[in-house]
Amino acid sequence: MKYFFLFVICLLGGAWFYQWAEHQPSYLLIVVGDTSIEMSVWFALGCLVALLVLYWFAHRLLVGGARGVGSHINRLLIGSERRAQRQTSSGLLSFIEGDWRPALRRLNRSVSNAQAPVLNYLAAARSAYELGDQQQANELLAKAEKADPTAGLAVSLAQARIQLLAKKYESCAATLERARKLSPKHPVVLDILRQVYVQLNDWEALEKILPQLRKQSTLSTEELDQLTELLYRKLIQKAGNSDMPRDAVHSAWQKTPKHLKGKPSLLLEYVDILEREGEGSDAEAILRKALQSDWDNQLVLRYGLLKNADASRQLLKAEGWLKERPGNSALMLTLGRLSMRNKLWGKARDYFDNSLKIQGSPEACAEMARLLAHMGEHELSTEYYQKGLLMTADTLPELPMPHH
């Protein structure tokens, strides 16, 4: 009703205004060059009002249309981004599961609308490599670096992992050296470098990064200790195979950490090289000092096998150890061998016999058998050879045997 009364009032008001304006004289002249336009003032006002109304309608139509088109475009763009996100998520899941072909396809499809295309490129590169397409993998890595110049470290690590899998160790080392310039203490970079240097037998390079590995690596303390022992054992071996082994091995031993010098594996490597180079006296002194500080059966057996040392002095020293370890089978075997070197056949036989009584071993049986054979006791020698042979074999199954 309100709008109806408003309409009636406007209609009546308009009729009254028309009647009033018709009896009011008015005149409007517009001259443009040679053209003149005459009209009443009221008609001109009506035209102006009509133009304003048309402008208002046109403006609303254009703005509304633009908003509608923009809304439609946004829906299309948002929809494509969502599809890209779904494709990327699906591709990454396939990548984690090791399903390389669908991972590569989905990651490549969604990369143009992905929020972080570098992730798509990196995972797709690894997938391409796993499918045997090395060229595509390299191309994807190059695209990853272009997509995000700040992701140089991630790209280098992805490339290094691929090179490591492909056993391209020299290229991998070069890639990792570039990565170290970006992040010198990155634990993953250091760990892959460790693997590469081990494969390349580049022990000097590994020695340089060992302190950083101890600080930054994800390896356990036990694994780091094993790596350190392997490193210095390999350095000692390499020194022993050099052109000047005596000087090189002494230098390598001096660089070896003090806590490793008592490790039997390293000590035996060092002693073997010294003995090979004719430095039996030094080898004897090193073994003797090591046994005095920390007894080890491997070392005492090696002490009895030295060739270029003073055998009589060795025997006296070893018999001194016997007072502290009268029931040590390895020491008895070493004493028997040292007695043999001193041509004390009877004493050697007693020591071998005592070693076998404490704990039989194939070595003691063989030494006793060899000694008895040279002493003319062939039948007894054969028995000891048979005992030693049986000791070297695993537990034999019960089988029927022929009777005489």
Side-chain angles (χ1 to χ4, degrees), residues 29-47:
L29 176 64
I30 301 174
V31 179
V32 180
D34 297 332
T35 305
S36 61
I37 301 173
E38 297 180 13
M39 67 183 74
S40 68
V41 172
W42 309 114
F43 180 76
L45 288 173
C47 290

Side-chain angles (χ1 to χ4, degrees), residues 8 148 161 196 334:
V8 172
D148 187 355
R161 286 191 178 98
V196 169
T334 292

Side-chain angles (χ1 to χ4, degrees), residues 303-304 311 314-315 318 333-342:
Y303 189 77
Q314 281 184 272
L315 181 58
L333 177 56
T334 292
L335 285 165
R337 285 169 169 165
L338 292 174
S339 298
M340 293 281 287
R341 290 191 183 281
N342 285 279

Side-chain angles (χ1 to χ4, degrees), residues 336-369:
R337 285 169 169 165
L338 292 174
S339 298
M340 293 281 287
R341 290 191 183 281
N342 285 279
K343 299 182 180 180
L344 303 173
W345 319 121
K347 181 179 282 192
R349 179 172 182 171
D350 291 338
Y351 281 133
F352 290 147
D353 185 53
N354 288 333
S355 177
L356 288 167
K357 287 178 180 177
I358 296 168
Q359 183 180 357
S361 67
E363 294 87 352
C365 284
E367 292 289 9
M368 177 69 92

Side-chain angles (χ1 to χ4, degrees), residues 116-152:
V118 66
L119 298 178
N120 291 55
Y121 284 129
L122 292 177
R126 175 64 181 274
S127 300
Y129 168 76
E130 294 291 349
L131 291 171
D133 194 342
Q134 182 72 53
Q135 182 178 354
Q136 186 180 8
N138 292 333
E139 291 173 356
L140 289 166
L141 287 172
K143 289 179 179 179
E145 196 161 9
K146 289 181 180 178
D148 187 355
T150 64

